[in-house]
Each structure stands twice: as structure tokens, then as C-alpha cells.
């Protein structure tokens, strides 16, 4: 037997064996054989959905298969394209509607891959976690199915999932490269973040702190945005950059319009802060 699993309450026991590569299902109480289905070769792990109607199977290469328990119909999904072999984690949502996966593989293009959400009925990829990929220790949906908890060496992250049409309820987009800086507005309603400038993506972004939704974004200009700070009235956002000149910039927080570039530092600016009265700005490089 290369893989086995029990449904909730051990009502059904499933196993896959070689060389026949058959998925066999037994009554967990009597041992009676209930069904036998042909499945792809080299399956190494099985997991039942909460309602027991489907199984997720992972083969030696890390590919995932969704198997209908009643009919044996099998649908293959690939978490990501990396060199093989790889280790893939899978977890069903409590409502059985979605499957979360994460993969880790060595070699070219290896290392940690993104976390993805799949629709169990169709095998369609619904979303990919926008944060930086990390080797995942555990994946778990919240009981209401609205969030996915992602555990890694850096801690636990909560990914709030869209509940409807992506255009009406967008996923938090994060930054496409490293995020270096962040600051809350004085009223706590807005979070500003700054990122590396090596990707074609806005390097300054403003977020609704209550919902995590992106409200504004713009290109901060040359240099990684290493520091950001709001003025006491929240109207101005200051940014410090990893460049030798023109490395402190003042922005209209409402529109993203550049108001002023400050001269003075001849190396990277790493920190800045407004005075409580908003009339002065201290910077360090």
C-alpha cells in the first residue's frame, strides 16, 4: 500500500497499492470492500474531503488529483511548474468547495512555490496567494471558509479570500517584490507600504486597514522605497529611497502626486519621521 486515508469518523477507509494502482474503498466498521477504481500510478498520499465525497491524491512528483469517491472520475491539477520531485501540501475547505495547495521542490526553479486555491468541482485555479512564497508548514481554512491560515518559518499569515466576483471584491495584491517599509495614517484607517523597484509594479501602495483592499498606488520613482511616513494631518506621505540623490520625496496622499523632492543626502535614505506639528521632517541615511 503506497497511500491510505480515513474519512471523518472512519466510516470509509481508502487505500492505493502497487503494482495494480487501484484505489480501494472499504467500510470502516465491517471491512467490506465498497468499490475499486483505477487511478494514476505512483500516488503517495490520500486525503478525504470533509463530506467524504472526494479524495485529494498526491503523486511522487507533487501533482494533485481530485478523485470522485463514487465514480472514480479523476481530475489532475498541477500546483506549479518546478523541477521534480516536489512535496505538495493539500487541505480541503470545511464546505468541501475548495482545495488549498502549496509545493516545495529542489533544483531549477525549485524552492517554495505559491499557495493556490482550487475549485474542487472543476479543478479550476481560483486564486494564488499574492505574498512572498515561503516553505509552508501547514495550511488551514478558517471554519467560515473566508480565510486561509498559512504557517511558515516567519509566522502565521491570514489570507482573506474574495467572496464574489474578483472585480467587485478584489484580492489584496501585495507587492511583486520585497516590501521594505510601511506606516499607518494618523487616523489608523490607511496603511502605506513601499517596495523594491526591481519589478514593473507600483512601489508605493495605500491600503484600507479595515478590509485590506488596495485604495491607491503609484510609482515612487528611482530607488527602493525604504521608508514611508504620514504627516500628522495625513495629507502628505514622505518616502525615503535607496539612491544617491533626490532620495526624499513628498507626495499628496490623496492623489499620489509628487509635491516636492528634497536634496541633501548623498547616499541611501533609510528612515524618516515628521515632527508632531508637521512643520519639520527628520531623515537619516
Amino acid at each position: 500500500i503506497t497511500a491510505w486515508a480515513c474519512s471523518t469518523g472512519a466510516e470509509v477507509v481508502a487505500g492505493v497499492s502497487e503494482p495494480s494502482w487501484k484505489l480501494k474503498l472499504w467500510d470502516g466498521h465491517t471491512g467490506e470492500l465498497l468499490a475499486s477504481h483505477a487511478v494514476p500510478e505512483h500516488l503517495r498520499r490520500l486525503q478525504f474531503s470533509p463530506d467524504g465525497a472526494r479524495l485529494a491524491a498526491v503523486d511522487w512528483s507533487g501533482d494533485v488529483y481530485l478523485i470522485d469517491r463514487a465514480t472514480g472520475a479523476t481530475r489532475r491539477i498541477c500546483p506549479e511548474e518546478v523541477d521534480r520531485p516536489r512535496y505538495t501540501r493539500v487541505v480541503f475547505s470545511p464546505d468541501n468547495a475548495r482545495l488549498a495547495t502549496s509545493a516545495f521542490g529542489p533544483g531549477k526553479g525549485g524552492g517554495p512555490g505559491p499557495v493556490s486555491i482550487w475549485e474542487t468541482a472543476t479543478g479550476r485555479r481560483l486564486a494564488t496567494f499574492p505574498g512572498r512564497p515561503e516553505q509552508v508548514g501547514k495550511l488551514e481554512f478558517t471554519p467560515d471558509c473566508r480565510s486561509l491560515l498559512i504557517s511558515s518559518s516567519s509566522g502565521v499569515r491570514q489570507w482573506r479570500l474574495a467572496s464574489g466576483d474578483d472585480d467587485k471584491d478584489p484580492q489584496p495584491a501585495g507587492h511583486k517584490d520585497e516590501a521594505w517599509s510601511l506606516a499607518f495614517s494618523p487616523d489608523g484607517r490607511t496603511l502605506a507600504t513601499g517596495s523594491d523597484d526591481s519589478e514593473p509594479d507600483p512601489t508605493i501602495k495605500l491600503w484600507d486597514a479595515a478590509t485590506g483592499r488596495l485604495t491607491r498606488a503609484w510609482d515612487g520613482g528611482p530607488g527602493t522605497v525604504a521608508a514611508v511616513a504620514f504627516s500628522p494631518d495625513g495629507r502628505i506621505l514622505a518616502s525615503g529611497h535607496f539612491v544617491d540623490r533626490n532620495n526624499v520625496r513628498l507626495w499628496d496622499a490623496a492623489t499620489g502626486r509628487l509635491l516636492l523632492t528634497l536634496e541633501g543626502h548623498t547616499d541611501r535614505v533609510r528612515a524618516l519621521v515628521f515632527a508632531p506639528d508637521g512643520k519639520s521632517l527628520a531623515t537619516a541615511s
Side-chain angles (χ1 to χ4, degrees):
I1 294 178
T2 63
W4 68 278
C6 293
S7 65
T8 303
E11 299 292 331
V12 178
V13 176
V16 174
S17 61
E18 58 178 341
S20 63
W21 297 111
K22 294 279 189 178
L23 169 67
K24 295 185 178 182
L25 303 168
W26 295 273
D27 185 299
H29 300 296
T30 67
E32 177 188 358
L33 181 64
L34 301 175
S36 178
H37 305 300
V39 292
E41 296 183 358
H42 307 298
L43 297 185
R44 293 292 182 247
R45 284 182 291 127
L46 290 173
Q47 184 173 326
F48 274 98
S49 59
D51 63 2
R54 291 186 176 86
L55 293 102
V58 183
D59 68 13
W60 70 273
S61 69
D63 288 345
V64 179
Y65 299 84
L66 289 170
I67 304 172
D68 186 288
R69 170 184 145 188
T71 66
T74 301
R75 179 178 287 107
R76 174 175 174 263
I77 61 176
C78 297
E80 56 173 313
E81 295 300 327
V82 297
D83 276 3
R84 300 176 176 183
R86 58 189 171 185
Y87 181 82
T88 303
R89 295 185 182 276
V90 297
V91 62
F92 283 98
S93 61
D95 62 2
N96 309 288
R98 291 179 284 190
L99 182 78
T101 64
S102 69
F104 179 86
K108 177 184 176 183
V115 175
S116 295
I117 304 291
W118 309 79
E119 186 176 54
T120 55
T122 64
R124 180 172 63 95
R125 191 196 299 260
L126 298 175
T128 299
F129 181 61
R132 186 176 182 180
E134 293 184 277
Q135 186 169 354
V136 172
K138 187 175 182 181
L139 297 172
E140 186 164 345
F141 285 92
T142 54
D144 62 7
C145 302
R146 295 180 179 179
S147 297
L148 181 71
L149 302 178
I150 305 169
S151 173
S152 66
S153 60
S154 64
V156 178
R157 294 174 287 180
Q158 181 179 2
W159 180 15
R160 285 183 291 191
L161 306 173
S163 58
D165 184 84
D166 286 343
D167 293 333
K168 297 178 181 179
D169 192 7
Q171 298 286 348
H175 286 281
K176 291 183 179 178
D177 213 322
E178 297 176 352
W180 281 79
S181 54
L182 50 81
F184 280 99
S185 61
D187 62 8
R189 295 179 179 178
T190 301
L191 178 70
T193 60
S195 74
D196 203 320
D197 65 344
S198 60
E199 290 284 349
D201 186 57
T203 51
I204 296 177
K205 295 188 176 184
L206 302 187
W207 311 84
D208 184 310
T211 66
R213 294 183 181 179
L214 182 68
T215 58
R216 284 180 296 284
W218 62 87
D219 183 356
T224 293
V225 185
V228 289
F230 280 97
S231 61
D233 61 9
R235 295 181 178 180
I236 297 174
L237 182 73
S239 61
H241 299 258
F242 276 6
V243 287
D244 295 340
R245 297 185 56 206
N246 301 323
N247 41 29
V248 177
R249 297 158 200 164
L250 302 182
W251 309 87
D252 184 322
T255 65
R257 181 172 62 90
L258 181 63
L259 301 174
L260 192 64
T261 299
L262 305 183
E263 300 276 356
H265 288 293
T266 58
D267 209 330
R268 299 177 172 188
V269 171
R270 296 180 178 271
L272 45 77
V273 62
F274 278 95
D277 62 6
K279 295 180 179 180
S280 301
L281 179 72
T283 62
S285 81

